[in-house]
Amino acid sequence: MSNLEFFFYLFVYAFILTYLVLGFIISFEAMLALYGVKSAVEWIREWHKPATFKTMLIVFLPMLQLAYFFLEWLPHFVGFNKHIRPFDLDRIYYIVFPKETV
């Protein structure tokens, strides 16, 4: 294995792991905001700008859908949850930043 190949794999794996870790964090932030947890909404407002949060919702959409599956659909399928909240990115964004939404 050459040095170039080593660094290529290093950057590829680092990119994938970074995406997974950040996606995990952003997905839980968004799911908490979907449920209207006030401390999560305040935390997102404090640390993210509206445009940045909107971009992160779009970039990490696969991780958001995976978290929604594990936190909403799977408990409903097993029988722990009676009602399913609809997954809507606009609703999440509106809950966090109501004044910026037109």
Side-chain angles (χ1 to χ4, degrees), residues 40 48 57 63 66 69 78 89 91:
H48 300 294
L57 286 178
M63 295 295 291
L66 189 64
F69 172 75
V78 174
L89 291 180
R91 183 170 180 216

Side-chain angles (χ1 to χ4, degrees), residues 69-86:
F69 172 75
F70 281 116
L71 296 174
E72 193 70 36
W73 278 99
L74 197 59
H76 177 72
F77 182 71
V78 174
F80 296 134
N81 218 357
K82 299 280 187 222
H83 303 287
I84 297 178
R85 286 187 183 242

Side-chain angles (χ1 to χ4, degrees), residues 8-12 29 33 35 38-39 51 53 57 59 65-66 71-73 77 83 85 88 91 98-99 101-102:
F8 173 74
Y9 285 125
L10 178 71
F11 288 126
V12 168
E29 287 178 8
Y35 288 108
K38 290 183 181 184
S39 60
F53 186 67
L57 286 178
V59 168
Q65 291 173 337
L66 189 64
L71 296 174
E72 193 70 36
W73 278 99
F77 182 71
H83 303 287
R85 286 187 183 242
D88 188 12
R91 183 170 180 216
K99 294 179 183 175
T101 309
V102 176

